[in-house]
Amino acid sequence: MNGWLLAAAVGLVGGVAPALWGAATGPVRRRVGAQNTATLLVCLVLMLLAQGYARPGAYLDAALLLALLGPAGTLIYARLFAAELADDPPRGRITGAVSVFAAAAVVTALCAVTPPGRATVKTVLIGALLVAGNLVSAAALRHPPGEADRAGGKEQVRHD
């Protein structure tokens, strides 16, 4: 077992397992936030596995797909659970900073050991998508759709 596989195992046991537990139990605010965190961590683990097994093709493609679809799933959950999230929004802001730091650390380490080429470009793209997607979805969870309606604002409806 090399260091990349060890880091992936630590990420699975120390990060993904608790995030999945949080996504399966507790209030909606914690479940949706934990789902968002689990998506990020699984993507980072896939990137570490790609380097650990020296097979960037399949693992990086799966990580790229997850980096695209994960935040979209969180935004869909934010829309579906808008009423519950407006009543009891997520409180933690540290997960956004931790996710940016974790993604930057993994991407920087992988770029340092990967020779220039398609794998490096994919790694940087995945890192950028993870950071941007996680920040956007965390903001959507803190301010769910329909929150202005509850505060007395009016939603404009277009009739075409």
Side-chain angles (χ1 to χ4, degrees), residues 35-59:
Q35 178 269 333
N36 191 32
T37 304
T39 300
L40 172 101
L41 292 172
V42 168
C43 195
L44 293 177
V45 165
L46 284 171
M47 293 169 66
L48 291 169
L49 288 174
Q51 184 65 35
Y53 288 128
R55 297 189 55 170
Y59 289 105

Side-chain angles (χ1 to χ4, degrees), residues 104-129:
V106 170
V107 168
T108 303
L110 289 173
C111 286
V113 299
T114 306
R118 287 182 67 179
T120 305
V121 172
K122 276 187 187 178
T123 301
V124 171
L125 178 63
I126 292 167
L129 286 171

Side-chain angles (χ1 to χ4, degrees), residues 38-101:
T39 300
L40 172 101
L41 292 172
V42 168
C43 195
L44 293 177
V45 165
L46 284 171
M47 293 169 66
L48 291 169
L49 288 174
Q51 184 65 35
Y53 288 128
R55 297 189 55 170
Y59 289 105
L60 286 182
D61 288 345
L64 180 60
L65 184 65
L66 189 59
L68 286 170
L69 295 178
T74 302
L75 294 175
I76 290 170
Y77 282 131
R79 180 71 174 160
L80 289 173
F81 296 122
E84 290 92 348
L85 290 172
D87 291 340
D88 190 18
R91 296 184 189 116
R93 293 181 185 256
I94 195 164
T95 57
V98 169
S99 66
V100 169
F101 175 74

